[in-house]
Amino acid sequence: MIWMLVQGQGVGAWGSAARGGVPGSGYGSMMGGGGWGDGSMMGGTPWGRPDTTDPSVENLDDARSAAEAFVDDLGQGMGVGEVMQFDNHYYAEIVGADGELATEVLVDPTSGTVQIEYGPARMWNTRFGMMAAGSSGSERVTAAEAERIADRWLADQGDLTADGAEELPGYYTLHTLRDGALEGMLSVNSTTGDVWYHSWHGQFVDMSEAP
């Protein structure tokens, strides 16, 4: 699995020394040796939550229900916004009690496991990510600037364009479009302007807007 993080010309793989990676080790070493499934950073709830009652996730409604069960465990008044289906998994936005986007999760269609999304949600999120403690929270990139940064980066990659930027703690996430049709997504760091393309999704299938 490859992630793409743009820092000048920097493009790396999981565990590389590029910004956002963990040199030579992978993510587990940053949580006292534990993996994402057994760490705890959101109100005592593990990053990964298996749905043991009915693990199969067959459609967008099932994925939303799994994500809702995940946020219910957090007990922080959170909800579920947009839900998307890709070849590899389902994706969902988690909305805070204040109505602002809090983080992003993935739902495994086979096991029903819900986990914090790879990449920016884990590494850049200044409230619920691995770097939350000690983050200054300062923001220098506006939503409009994030859209321009994304469009410039996508123009160098091919024929994709960016949709509107949605703000999360520490970064923005934007849909990517091909000929006006939704294709995938990327994120822009709201402090550095770095771009991280969400290469783990596979092909876009369908989506359900926030209720």
Side-chain angles (χ1 to χ4, degrees), residues 3-7 18-21 27 36 102-104 116-132 135-139 149 168-174 186-198 200:
W3 56 260
M4 299 174 68
L5 171 62
V6 176
Q7 179 191 356
R19 183 191 303 230
Y27 290 118
W36 287 104
T103 190
E104 303 163 285
I116 299 297
E117 188 182 18
Y118 315 126
R122 299 187 183 192
M123 299 303 299
W124 286 351
N125 195 301
T126 56
R127 289 184 60 196
F128 302 110
M130 293 171 60
M131 306 303 180
S135 169
S136 65
S138 62
E139 294 185 357
I149 290 169
L168 291 105
Y171 66 101
Y172 299 91
T173 289
L174 304 87
L186 59 73
S187 296
V188 177
N189 189 294
S190 56
T191 298
T192 65
D194 288 344
V195 172
W196 204 329
Y197 185 75
H198 296 207
W200 44 85

Side-chain angles (χ1 to χ4, degrees), residues 147-163:
E147 292 171 19
R148 289 194 291 271
I149 290 169
D151 275 331
R152 286 198 300 269
W153 186 81
L154 289 168
D156 291 338
Q157 312 306 311
D159 58 352
L160 296 177
T161 58
D163 203 355

